[in-house]
Structures are given as structure tokens and as C-alpha cells.
Amino acid sequence: MAFNYAEYIRPGKLPHIWCPGCAHGTVMKSIIRAIDRVGLEKDRTVIVSGIGCASRMPGYVDFNTLHTTHGRSLPFSTGVKLADPGLNVIAVAGDGDALAIGGNHFIHTCRRNIDITLIVFNNNIYGMTGGQFSPTTPHGKLASTTPYGNPDYAFDVVELAMGAGASYVSRSTAYHAIPLERQIADGINHKGFSVIDALCTCPTTYGRRNKLGSAVDMIGWFKDNTVGIKAAGKLPPEKVEGKILTGVFRKEEKPEYCDEYAKIIEKTGGRS
Amino acid sequence: MAKEMFLAGCSSAAYGAMLSRVEVISSYPIRPYTGIMMELSKLVANGELDAEFVHGEGEHAQVSIAYGASAAGARAYTGSSGVGVTYAMECYSPAAGGRLPCQMAIADRALDPPGDFGSEHTDVMSARDQGWIMGWAADPQEVLDNTIMYFKIGEDARVLLPQFCCQDGYFVSHIPGKVSIPDQKAVDEYLPPFNNPHPLDPTKPVSHGPQIFPDQGPAIDLQRAQAFIDTPKVIEEAVADFNKQFGRNYDPFLEEYMTDDAEFVFFLQGGHARTARFAVNHLREKGVKAGMVRLRFMRPFPTEAVAESLSKFKAVGTIETSTSYGGAMKGGNLIHEVRSALYDVPNPPPVTSFMAGLGGEVVSLEEFYSMAKVLTQAAKDGKVDQYVYWVNFDKV
């Protein structure tokens, strides 16, 4: 039977704002399917976002949703989770939102290991504001504010999350929507902070300027330029050189913040 | 020779910054001001402007970069809109207290919630008491001119204060108009290079922003307050010199439109003045003696000029375009300033306020006509029935 997306969508909020060819809708589908796969109760699930194209996503889905300020999906999520640790809290953010203006919150949420799942809609650009370069715009690429190439070097979301202490870290792409769905489900089931780097595309403000072809070409690029980390270990180095690694990079059991907090309350005889 | 271009306010600000030979620019994207930075990044990349262009990781970083650049002696330029302006709030007092005359271009925007893109003055009006010079332009030409003038005023040794150079988001920032671009040589004559009297310099080390003891605080506050007392004279000089150098006709503090025999005036800031002028023309055709007074500087507030101007009329209506929730008059901010300015005037005119132009709404001609009815009655009665009218919601 076909998947019933209608059950999870707010029809009154459509049409969405995303441009033709934008891959954010694919990532949204993966999130919806992952939630369905895990079987989360809608009324016990909260989706939190900041500002930007990706952050419009919670408006379209029928859960408890919170659209906040730029870069702040994680601190708002932390407040929600601490107030009611029984809620399932999912945060979504774009690359600029998560890693530039919200970069400090990103690393500290990783360090704290609170049971929140973050999906980074990573399309290498600030799309909504007109294609300014972001912390994941690759070196040398064109943006509206780098007309001759980006002098900065990009963050690797996976390495950053691992270095900062997140206990579940994975990467997939909008081409690999089913593995992405599995990772998001895995991240939701994981007890601790989960970061899923969801590579997606912005044909309008990034692809066009960098001559990356059509929206379909850009999605196809992921197929040809990614290697799963399990496969990468078995391939000769030249087959892995220059490719983006995907898969689950870390999944480790580690004390979770709300649990640790509850322990202190218990130890000191306080009330939770 | 000056040349004419057809520019929206964002591009006009960028050209103003280029002509001012800004040396360090810090950006972060947010609509609608971001157009300024997109234009400037091209001007820098194409070699038309010799400046460092840095993309911060947020507005807080942006203003911090401008602070650092200014402390090191550079002419620094940054900008923002809406929640970007309020996110950087922590940095405003340090820049003003540090007496660092960097400039921040504002294309205003409504604050959250719930995420409105439209023009509203509340964003930067929330920062009006941090010690920055501040005022609105009414069209792209004035945006360019103010950009240059504000550097001249802010960098004056008697002033040394940062500046919010404001324009209405979209209404000015994104609607093109004819702009006369002055010759670089003429601008260089008007605006000499920035000379920070106490730059960070490894050969002559100085300390900026050190921790102080509580008893040292008031003296520093007094210095900043004194700078604002001294600034109006510098504004008068800078505007007069600008008018002479570039053939403009700005009043330093107030634009008066059809006020000679006006019974009442609309008092406002920024781009809504363009609609107000049309409204005044139409009202005049119907025999209603309306006028308009437009404020060019919110800080320093030109108390004497406002008192002198507004005391001529039988009624005044401020058009707020910003909010002051729970304030003395329970509406906007302009009415507080205006009533304070008129307090010592013998027989001051009644003053009321109109909450209009919020959230990006156009203040329409019809709304001006409705406000004119309230003000006509107030002029006749010599009093106002209420201090705040929410236009389209109240009995207006």
C-alpha cells in the first residue's frame, strides 16, 4: 500500500515555498517516513526549526511544531526536552542556521548529549536570502557574496559533530532518500544527541551560479560522488579519493543529559 | 561630474559606502538589507572598491567585526534588518561607549513573531538609546547622501559615535528611484580619511574596553551624553557643507512639507513621507489645511527644532511605524519624544498618535484621510480624545 503522507501534512499550509527542483521536500519526506517507521505518536512529537528555507518545513507537517529565531532550533529544542523529557524532539536546520549563526549551539548540544535528533538540510548556501556563501559552501565555489570564488573552507558536519561529542552521527543525501529515512529513524531511536547530515540541493541560488546542471543533474551528482563508509573500507583508495562518505559514522551508548539531570535531582532529594 | 543612476535604496547605500571609501565591510544575510552587501561584494570583487569584505557567522559577529576594524583605525561598515538588528544588541553599547564611529546600514523589518518580512521601525528603534546616531532616509537619494553625511558627523572629533543609517525595508530599500551619484573627488573633499585618535597600534599600545570600577562608570556615561549634546551643531555644519558641496537642499533635522499655513501636521520618519506628501496635496485640494513634518534624526532628537516647528500648528499626529508596548502613551515611540519636546512650549498643540505602517503595511492614502479627520477635529477642539489610534482597528 502506498505511504499515506496526507496523514502527516497540514494541507492548509500548502503550497510550500520551496523552489522547483529544491531537494528539501525529499528530506521532509524522509523525516515523515522515519517518524512513521519508528511509530512516534503525533501529539508527543515536537519538530523545532530556526530560520531559512529548511526551517519552513515544520509548518507543513502535522506535529507540535515550533518555528524560532535564526540558528536557535537547538536551544529551543533543549528547553522543550528539559521541560518534558518524555516528548520526542526533532530539530531541523539549514547549514547556515545550524553551523554559522547557530554554530555555538550546535557544538554545545553535541557536548551535552541530550536526546534530540537534528537533521541538517545541507545545501551549501543561504538560499532564502539570495545565495550568500555559508559555512558549508565548498572552497572556490561561487555565491552572491563571493562572485570570484569562496575564500573560506567548509565545515564537515560529520567531523564537527563527532569532534564535539555527538553520540549518533550519520550522513546521507537526497538521492539516497531511503538510507536517509533509515538513518533518521535510527537517530530518533538512539538515546542521546543524533546528528544527521542530509546533503541536498539548491538549484536556484547555488546550482545555477556554479553551473551544476539541472535539479536532476544535481541529485544525480550525489549518486556518482558518494561512497558508503562500509564499502569505502573495501575499495582501492583511488575509488574513494574525492568522494563524499555516507553512512553511520558513530553510534555509541553514552550517558544522556536528561537522565543525568534526573540522577542529580534524585541524589539531592529534589522534585523533578 | 556627478552621474545619474536608477537605484533602489540597497544599491544606493552600497554606492554611498563605496564613495565613502569604507575599508572593512562585515556582512551576514538577512532580508531586505542583504541587497546592500550583495552589491558591495561585487564592487569589492571587481576592484571598484578597495576594502576587506568579511562574511560573519551572525549579526553579533558582524557588529563585533566592525567594532574591531574601527578600533584598529579603519572606516568600518556593516548592516542588518529586523531580528538581525536585535540579535546584535549586545554590541551596540560597547561600540558607542568605545567611541568607535563605524556605520550600520539598516533596512528595517518587523520583528518576530511570527516571522514577518515587512518594513517596520521597531527593530532599530529598540536600540535608539544605546548611543548611536540614528535617522531615516525617505528615498534612495537620501540613503546615499546620509551614508556619506553620517560618516562625516560620526567621525568628527567632537562626536566620535557610531551611526545607524536607516531606510525603510522594501518601500525604500527595494523601490528604485533616480539617484545622483556624486563624483569621487567631490566626496573626498567633503569626507577626509577617518582618523581614529586612539587606534589599536602595536607600536603605541592602547587598551580599549577595559574592565572598570563602578565609580568610573558615570563619568564615561556623561561623556557619551555630552557627545550627543554637542552633535546637533556638528550635524548642522555637516548638512550645510553637504548641501553646498553637492547642490542639495536638506534641512538638518526636519523636512517640512506644506506647513506654512497648515492647521495640523502628520509627524513621521522615513519613506512613508512620500505617500504623506500626496495625501497632503489631495487634502489641500479639498480645502483641508494639512501639512507634514518629517524627522531626519531620531538620535540626537532635535528637541528645539521640533518644539519650534510643531508649536506653529493646531494639532499634531505622529505616525508611529514602531511599537512601545506599555509605554507612557501605550502606543508608539514618536509621541513620547514629541510631547516631551512640546512640554515647555506655551499653549502646545494637542498631540495624538497613529499606529500605522506596522508589519510591512503601506500607510495608504485612505488611512491618511482618516487620520486627517481625527486631526481636523483635534485642531477644532484644541484637544485629543485619545492618545493612540490603531489605524483600521480603532475608530479611525
Side-chain angles (χ1 to χ4, degrees), chain A residues 95-96 121-127 132-138 141-143 154 199-202 206 212 218 222:
Chain A
D95 38 286
F121 288 57
N122 184 352
N123 63 359
N124 313 108
I125 205 81
Y126 288 98
Q132 295 83 0
F133 73 99
S134 86
T136 64
T137 304
K141 289 292 183 190
L142 305 182
L199 302 183
C200 50
T201 54
C202 179
Y206 183 70
L212 300 178
M218 288 179 75
F222 288 137

Side-chain angles (χ1 to χ4, degrees), chain A:
Chain A
M1 204 176 85
F3 188 91
N4 182 17
Y5 291 101
E7 190 189 331
Y8 292 101
I9 294 288
R10 291 169 173 157
K13 293 291 175 188
L14 298 175
H16 58 71
I17 62 146
W18 297 320
C19 303
C22 171
H24 280 9
T26 308
V27 179
M28 179 171 84
K29 277 175 74 174
S30 293
I31 294 172
I32 290 172
R33 293 177 68 110
I35 290 171
D36 185 83
R37 181 192 279 250
V38 178
L40 298 185
E41 193 187 332
K42 272 165 65 170
D43 288 349
R44 298 294 294 162
T45 301
V46 185
I47 305 194
V48 186
S49 68
I51 294 290
C53 297
S55 292
R56 291 302 183 91
M57 179 244 148
Y60 307 132
V61 289
D62 189 24
F63 301 95
N64 298 284
T65 59
L66 186 56
H67 182 226
T68 73
T69 52
H70 203 191
R72 319 293 159 209
S73 56
L74 289 174
F76 279 88
S77 298
T78 301
V80 170
K81 188 71 184 174
L82 273 176
D84 185 352
L87 292 172
N88 313 300
V89 182
I90 297 169
V92 298
D95 38 286
D97 195 44
L99 303 170
I101 197 164
N104 197 27
H105 305 310
F106 179 88
I107 56 174
H108 287 281
T109 313
C110 290
R111 178 179 65 80
R112 201 176 280 133
N113 196 38
I114 189 165
D115 188 19
I116 294 168
T117 302
L118 170 69
I119 296 103
V120 181
F121 288 57
N122 184 352
N123 63 359
N124 313 108
I125 205 81
Y126 288 98
M128 183 180 270
T129 46
Q132 295 83 0
F133 73 99
S134 86
T136 64
T137 304
H139 179 74
K141 289 292 183 190
L142 305 182
S144 63
T145 39
T146 55
Y148 298 115
N150 176 18
D152 284 10
Y153 287 86
F155 270 139
D156 181 319
V157 175
V158 166
E159 285 184 12
L160 187 64
M162 301 234 287
S167 55
Y168 181 95
V169 182
S170 73
R171 177 187 289 131
S172 189
T173 81
Y175 175 81
H176 305 89
I178 302 299
L180 177 61
E181 173 194 329
R182 278 200 297 268
Q183 288 177 15
I184 296 168
D186 209 12
I188 293 169
N189 281 326
H190 175 76
K191 180 94 173 170
F193 187 50
S194 307
V195 177
I196 292 113
D197 185 16
L199 302 183
C200 50
T201 54
C202 179
T204 304
T205 71
Y206 183 70
R208 194 180 290 166
R209 188 172 270 114
N210 285 287
K211 301 198 173 10
L212 300 178
S214 69
V216 176
D217 294 336
M218 288 179 75
I219 290 288
W221 189 90
F222 288 137
K223 181 186 170 209
D224 302 331
N225 290 279
T226 52
V227 179
I229 45 168
K230 283 184 191 154
K234 296 172 198 155
L235 288 168
E238 63 272 17
K239 295 266 186 192
V240 182
E241 177 74 31
K243 298 279 166 71
I244 296 170
L245 296 179
T246 57
V248 179
F249 293 79
R250 176 185 287 165
K251 186 179 179 180
E252 74 179 33
E253 297 305 317
K254 206 171 145 180
E256 191 273 334
Y257 187 77
C258 296
D259 287 351
E260 293 302 300
Y261 200 93
K263 278 183 204 163
I264 292 174
I265 293 171
E266 200 184 327
K267 194 167 105 182
T268 54
R271 284 186 302 142
S272 59

Side-chain angles (χ1 to χ4, degrees), chain A residues 51 56 67-70 72 96 100-102 126 128-130 132-133 144-148, chain B residues 27-31 34 37-38 41-42 45-46 53 55 57-59 83 87 112 114 117:
Chain A
I51 294 290
R56 291 302 183 91
H67 182 226
T68 73
T69 52
H70 203 191
R72 319 293 159 209
I101 197 164
Y126 288 98
M128 183 180 270
T129 46
Q132 295 83 0
F133 73 99
S144 63
T145 39
T146 55
Y148 298 115
Chain B
S27 76
Y28 188 77
I30 185 168
R31 288 179 282 177
T34 199
M37 292 303 171
M38 284 155 84
S41 65
K42 277 184 222 134
N46 288 336
F53 187 95
H55 204 37
E57 61 273 17
E59 290 82 2
V83 289
Y87 177 43
D112 291 352
F117 300 118

Side-chain angles (χ1 to χ4, degrees), chain B residues 1 20 23 36 82 112 156 193 202 218 293 296 314 337 348 391 394:
Chain B
M1 272 296 287
S20 302
E23 293 163 299
I36 299 172
D112 291 352
D156 189 289
V293 177
R296 288 205 346 112
K314 290 183 183 164
E337 308 278 342
V391 175
D394 249 314

